[in-house]
């Protein structure tokens, strides 16, 4: 990494002149006291966020430099929590220069302390392109009123990867500015997202051989991200610059990202030459063994898919274009690990050995809100799977997880567009959102009253994503005691004195069969008795109490998948008693939530039934009130008890 031996373009020097010239002793603390009063609930204010992207044509090449400046003001005693800072970079964004300083407020003046020690660290995160490293450092002497500044210059080594610029964030921003300087001959488009929420000033000028684009916004309020809020890209106002094409000095037109075919052609160029070597004979033998005695093509696909899930460990680490190019199937087979692309590579080749056609497929997880046609760049996706079609149905094979049945896509790609490769052609397919009824948790039990306790014999059935979640929770538990403790939490009814015993598991870790847990249980100190009456609340599973929305919540709520709960309790009427009061039935529904509670007496039994269907992935803020109106009705019903009265003789 270079620290000083490079030159910043003249326009960038002008843009950052105030930063470079900043003296060691600066202005008084008037801005600190002002902003502390203006933003009493915020820990800091971004005084300035600025990015300058300079795009040059040099001979047949395109050269890109990105320069950023951030200045922060800390408003309270939490300042020390922000001392640790890091800058990420990779083979796509090569770090050229960094300068960082903190400014301590002493007796009304600011004194500069430059950061002199930087430590490099590998960041092995993500599943698609994660050759990322970070340069870590500590801002010294932070306290209320302190400021920090960070100046970074990077070389962008691939013109398809221009950075997003965010005009809003978790903290207030006083000034945010994006400037793009491009040589004539470079054609760009600028994709704006969520910018209607701010006042954004745009300016376009020409200077010599440069076209200068700039956007600026001031006094942007903080954007709160609460628990369960969809990814910040859905809310933060931002612009993504895209180089659609450029003309070289020899007048050759290089197309980059003007439309989806450009993106797919680049992707295809990266994968078309993989798996050209002779396939490992061991892999061939394995496939033949897996598909032996399988009558249909679909069953062959199922056997191969489940083997990869069970035997190829998911590990994500890549370098440069290795983040986009799958490893050879032979390598993945021998090493028994790989990332999403590697899993897709070996799946593709194993199906090919079996005489079955699979398609390498690119997809963005639900954390990415963009569609291919609106943003035909690598920023639109971050994941690779394999698609298989049997002539009627389409199956989305993602072997990065475990216990995923062939019929289900992974939950985090539901509803997303998939770019399905067909050699030199492609198809965009929308991955379906799985119905709530396919992701069920059904609990039924026979219950009797034993003095002040309830004793029961129960059975819990899990399907779909609910089953996958439970399997993932149970898999790492390495002894019976831990498993029993987990079941005591998963199956809890009534109160915290719920105890289970005699647990029996049916179809545990089976990919295709429903998972069932049979168990006995006791709920102590649950029944209320008087001289002549017994009170029992059969709402043993008050599922909606855990799904309430706080009244002051401001953001949407995202859940992992739609799901359906059903709880049935059959209670024996205690001997010598008759039913004196049976709560009324309840049945409510809207487009988000369906709830039913029913009571029925059959002979000496009371049959209680409670169903809840969550029929959304994102609960938008505008519908929180309608959702909570229904929840409040159910909450009232949860308080109802059955009353038994002693029969007089």
């Amino acid at each position: 990494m270079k620290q000083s031996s490079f030159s910043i373009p003249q326009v960038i020097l002008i843009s950052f002149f105030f930063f470079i010239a900043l003296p060691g002793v600066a202005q008084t603390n008037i801005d600190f006291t002002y902003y502390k009063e203006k933003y009493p609930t915020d820990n800091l204010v971004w005084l300035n966020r600025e990015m300058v992207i300079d795009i040059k044509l040099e001979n047949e090449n395109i050269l890109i430099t990105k320069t950023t400046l951030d200045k922060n003001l800390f408003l309270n005693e939490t300042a020390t929590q922000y001392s640790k800072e890091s800058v990420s970079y990779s083979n796509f964004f090569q770090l050229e220069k960094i300068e960082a300083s903190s400014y301590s407020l002493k007796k009304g003046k600011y004194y500069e302390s430059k950061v002199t020690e930087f430590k490099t660290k590998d960041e092995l995160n993500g599943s698609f392109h994660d050759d990322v490293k970070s340069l870590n450092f500590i801002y010294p002497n932070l306290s209320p009123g302190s400021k920090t500044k960070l100046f970074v210059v990077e070389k962008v080594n691939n013109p398809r990867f221009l950075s997003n610029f965010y005009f809003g964030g978790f903290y207030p921003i006083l000034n945010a500015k994006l400037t793009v300087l491009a040589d004539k001959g470079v054609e760009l488009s600028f994709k704006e997202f969520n910018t209607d929420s701010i006042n954004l000033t745009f300016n376009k000028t020409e200077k010599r051989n440069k076209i200068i684009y700039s956007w600026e916004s001031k006094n942007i309020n903080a954007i709160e991200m609460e628990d369960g809020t969809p990814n910040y890209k859905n809310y933060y106002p931002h612009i993504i610059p895209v180089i659609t094409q450029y003309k070289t000095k020899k007048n050759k037109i290089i197309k980059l990202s003007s439309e989806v075919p450009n993106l797919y052609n680049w992707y295809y160029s990266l994968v078309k030459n993989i798996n050209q070597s002779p396939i490992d004979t061991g892999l061939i033998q394995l496939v033949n063994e897996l598909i032996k005695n399988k009558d249909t093509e679909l069953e062959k696909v199922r056997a191969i898919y489940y083997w990869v899930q069970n035997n190829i460990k998911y590990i994500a680490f890549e370098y440069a274009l290795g983040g986009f190019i799958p490893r050879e199937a032979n390598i993945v087979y021998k090493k028994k690990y790989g990332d999403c692309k590697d899993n897709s590579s070996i799946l593709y080749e194993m199906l090919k050995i079996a005489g079955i056609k699979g398609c390498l497929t690119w997809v963005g997880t639900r954390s990415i809100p963009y569609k291919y046609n609106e943003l035909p760049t690598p920023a639109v996706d971050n994941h690779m799977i394999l698609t298989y079609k049997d002539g009627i149905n389409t199956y989305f094979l993602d072997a990065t997880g475990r216990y995923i049945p062939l019929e289900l896509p992974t939950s985090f790609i539901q509803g997303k567009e998939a770019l399905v490769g067909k050699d030199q052609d492609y198809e965009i397919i929308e991955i379906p959102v799985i119905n709530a009824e396919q992701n069920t948790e059904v609990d039924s039990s026979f219950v009797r009253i034993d003095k002040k306790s309830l004793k029961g014999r129960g059975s819990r059935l899990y399907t779909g994503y609910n089953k996958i979640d439970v399997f993932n929770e149970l898999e790492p538990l390495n002894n019976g005691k831990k498993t029993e403790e987990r079941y005591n939490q998963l199956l809890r009814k009534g109160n915290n004195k719920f105890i289970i015993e005699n647990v029996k598991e049916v179809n545990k870790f089976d990919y295709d069969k429903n998972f069932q847990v049979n168990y006995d249980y006791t709920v102590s100190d649950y029944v209320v008795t008087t001289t002549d009456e017994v009170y029992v609340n059969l709402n043993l599973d008050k599922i909606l109490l855990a799904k309430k929305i706080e009244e002051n919540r401001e953001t949407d709520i995202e859940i992992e998948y739609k799901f359906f709960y059903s709880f049935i309790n059959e209670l024996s009427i205690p001997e010598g008693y008759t039913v004196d009061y049976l709560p009324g039935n309840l049945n409510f529904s809207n487009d988000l939530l369906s709830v039913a509670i029913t009571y029925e007496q059959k002979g000496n039994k009371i049959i209680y039934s409670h169903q809840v269907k969550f029929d959304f992935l994102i609960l938008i803020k505008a519908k929180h009130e309608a959702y909570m109106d229904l929840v409040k009705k159910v909450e009232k019903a949860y308080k109802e008890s059955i009353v038994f009265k002693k029969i007089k003789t």
Side-chain angles (χ1 to χ4, degrees), residues 285-303:
Q285 292 172 1
L286 170 65
V287 171
N288 290 334
E289 184 66 27
L290 289 172
I291 65 176
K292 184 173 62 176
N293 301 325
K294 299 295 186 294
D295 296 328
T296 66
E297 186 173 277
L298 187 65
E299 289 309 304
K300 293 176 182 178
V301 173
R302 190 185 305 277

Side-chain angles (χ1 to χ4, degrees), residues 234-371:
N234 291 275
Y235 302 96
Y236 288 4
H238 61 285
I239 292 177
I240 304 178
V242 178
I243 301 175
T244 58
Q245 65 180 39
Y246 63 92
K247 182 188 295 185
T248 69
K249 298 297 184 181
K250 294 182 179 180
N251 292 322
K252 181 181 179 182
I253 301 296
I254 307 296
K255 291 185 176 294
L256 289 178
S257 303
S258 59
E259 52 189 0
V260 179
N262 301 142
L263 176 64
Y264 180 73
N265 289 340
W266 184 64
Y267 280 166
Y268 180 64
S269 72
L270 300 177
V271 302
K272 66 180 181 180
N273 293 321
I274 65 169
N275 296 326
Q276 298 298 309
S277 302
I279 296 301
D280 190 301
T281 56
L283 185 57
I284 295 174
Q285 292 172 1
L286 170 65
V287 171
N288 290 334
E289 184 66 27
L290 289 172
I291 65 176
K292 184 173 62 176
N293 301 325
K294 299 295 186 294
D295 296 328
T296 66
E297 186 173 277
L298 187 65
E299 289 309 304
K300 293 176 182 178
V301 173
R302 190 185 305 277
I304 292 170
Y305 182 39
Y306 293 172
W307 183 90
V308 174
Q309 286 191 49
N310 278 314
N311 293 277
I312 305 300
K313 184 178 181 180
Y314 175 67
I315 298 177
F317 56 93
E318 299 298 340
Y319 296 92
L321 284 176
F324 290 86
I325 303 174
R327 288 183 177 86
E328 298 285 321
N330 288 340
I331 296 175
V332 181
Y333 170 65
K334 289 178 180 178
K335 293 184 176 294
K336 297 296 188 293
Y337 65 76
D339 65 4
C340 62
K341 304 176 305 302
D342 305 329
N343 284 334
S344 299
S345 173
I346 193 171
L347 268 173
Y348 179 91
E349 204 61 29
M350 291 175 75
L351 292 183
K352 184 178 177 182
I353 294 169
I356 301 170
K357 175 66 174 176
C359 299
L360 294 175
T361 300
W362 294 261
V363 62
T365 62
R366 285 163 54 190
S367 63
I368 296 179
Y370 318 122
K371 293 183 177 294

Side-chain angles (χ1 to χ4, degrees), residues 586 588 628-638:
L586 175 150
F588 295 112
M628 280 306 298
D629 284 345
L630 198 155
V631 171
K632 289 175 182 177
K633 293 177 182 178
V634 179
E635 186 176 13
K636 183 178 179 180
Y638 280 160

